[in-house]
Amino acid sequence: MNSILQKRCWQDYLFALLISLTGIVTWHRYGSFLDYYEQGILLGAVAGLIWLGWFWPALRWFFPVCGAIALAAIGLYQGDLARGQSAFWLKYVLASQSAVMWMCVLFFLAMLMYWFGMLKRSGTVLGIASGLTWAAAAAALISKLVRWYESYLIGSDIGHIPVSNLYEVFILFCLITALMYLYYEAKFDQTRDQKEQSARAMGAFVLPVICAAVVFIIWYTFDRQAHEIQPLIPALQSWWMKIHVPANFVGYGAFALAAMLGVAQLVVSKSWLVNRLPSYDTLGEVMYKAIAVGFLFFTIATVLGAMWAADAWGGYWSWDPKETWALIVWLNYAAWLHIRLIKGWRGNVLAWWAVIGLLVTTFAFIGVNMFLSGLHSYGGL
């Protein structure tokens, strides 16, 4: 423990102090409204944010900047939700729905710049694309924080963490997938061989899956008016939702990232774009790391889901269609990791497996709600 602390610099301790003070203020203002479980979640969130900032220094500025902007937006409301339609900065930039629209625009611009930078082999353009992705992720996080506050402006009995419906979780998916990609982009760009193409070129394949989610968000917003905040249905009125859903979407984001890198690996194997993408082995290594992280969090989410089921329905497992398909997803990636780690498989087989795995995961997430009925049939389109 001492050796870990000795490796920290003053920026680490300053970040830890900032997050700790934020947690203390939150506890002081809202602690009386939280039950023991929610107080535990708050403490865990503080510890988790500090660890993330220490693990990945870029988050030491990302979280505080997003938090400061969200607080500025909250201050502009002055306790009146109607100001979201009259105050200039809220209406066009900082209200949750405005921030989501900016997120959508920025992700599309980032995808175009990644493709342009990859095809032209331009480090400058790829750097701009990376910056746009950071900005889009910031807009997503700000929208989440502001929407959380907006829900409480409607009513204390309405307020809830914004991970309760498809609209909210698709924004969470965009945020998590983008941040995970940006981490691997930075890590592998620093360690690549000087002759190898920048790891930032991977964004040309990763951003399309995020933009696919953005298309869904736009359709769901304008066709179904899904951006309107609704009360939680009874099945979701539980503190378990605050930890089960985010853990699940770390898994979903990681699996989506891995699948798109699998596509990139298959492209390179055909000698297409071979001088514009990182090496075949690098793409395979990032794909493996993403699946390993995703599998860990999906396992945690599955365990949490079973505990939630026991609390809500009296049993840990009922072979509900959602539970069954979650098990199929888990077994799929458990087999993928076993084949790679124990059998030593590499190459196109695992790339195709990752791509097909995303289709299985997508059906488990959306298809089950659309085509099958069960205890989880409250998240349909």
Side-chain angles (χ1 to χ4, degrees), residues 321-369:
K322 194 77 167 182
E323 296 171 348
T324 303
W325 275 91
L327 179 61
I328 292 171
V329 171
W330 188 88
L331 290 172
N332 173 68
Y333 288 106
W336 192 100
L337 290 169
H338 175 80
I339 291 295
R340 191 186 192 279
L341 293 173
I342 305 301
K343 299 298 183 180
W345 284 21
R346 299 291 190 276
N348 287 3
V349 172
L350 293 185
W352 277 112
W353 195 336
V355 173
I356 295 171
L358 179 60
L359 300 178
V360 175
T361 304
T362 302
F363 182 82
F365 171 46
I366 299 178
V368 169
N369 291 23

Side-chain angles (χ1 to χ4, degrees), residues 12 37 54 61 97 115 118 135 181 183 215 260 279 283 295:
D12 293 321
Y37 299 107
W54 285 9
W61 63 264
Q97 182 57 17
W115 272 97
M118 179 194 67
Y181 165 70
Y183 169 74
V215 170
M260 299 311 291
S279 69
L283 292 169
F295 180 75

Side-chain angles (χ1 to χ4, degrees), residues 52-88:
L52 282 171
W54 285 9
F55 175 74
W56 185 15
L59 296 181
R60 292 201 297 246
W61 63 264
F62 179 77
F63 287 140
V65 167
C66 291
I69 294 174
L71 286 174
I74 289 170
L76 290 173
Y77 273 108
Q78 299 177 8
D80 181 9
L81 186 62
R83 283 182 56 80
Q85 297 301 317
S86 59
F88 175 85

Side-chain angles (χ1 to χ4, degrees), residues 15-27 39-54 63:
F15 175 76
L17 177 62
L18 177 62
I19 298 299
S20 298
L21 289 175
T22 302
I24 291 170
V25 171
T26 303
W27 186 288
Q39 290 173 355
I41 292 172
L42 175 59
L43 293 174
V46 169
L49 288 174
I50 292 173
W51 180 83
L52 282 171
W54 285 9
F63 287 140

Side-chain angles (χ1 to χ4, degrees), residues 112-175:
L112 293 175
M113 295 300 282
Y114 270 121
W115 272 97
F116 185 73
M118 179 194 67
L119 294 174
K120 294 295 184 180
R121 301 186 66 181
S122 171
T124 301
V125 176
L126 288 173
I128 293 172
S130 184
L132 288 170
T133 305
W134 274 110
L141 180 55
I142 291 166
S143 76
K144 282 289 180 188
L145 297 172
V146 176
R147 185 178 177 87
W148 199 344
Y149 174 75
E150 290 170 349
S151 68
Y152 278 94
L153 285 180
I154 297 175
S156 59
D157 57 332
I158 303 297
H160 59 271
I161 184 172
V163 294
S164 64
N165 57 39
L166 284 177
Y167 172 81
E168 293 172 347
V169 298
F170 263 82
I171 297 170
L172 180 65
F173 170 83
C174 292
L175 171 62

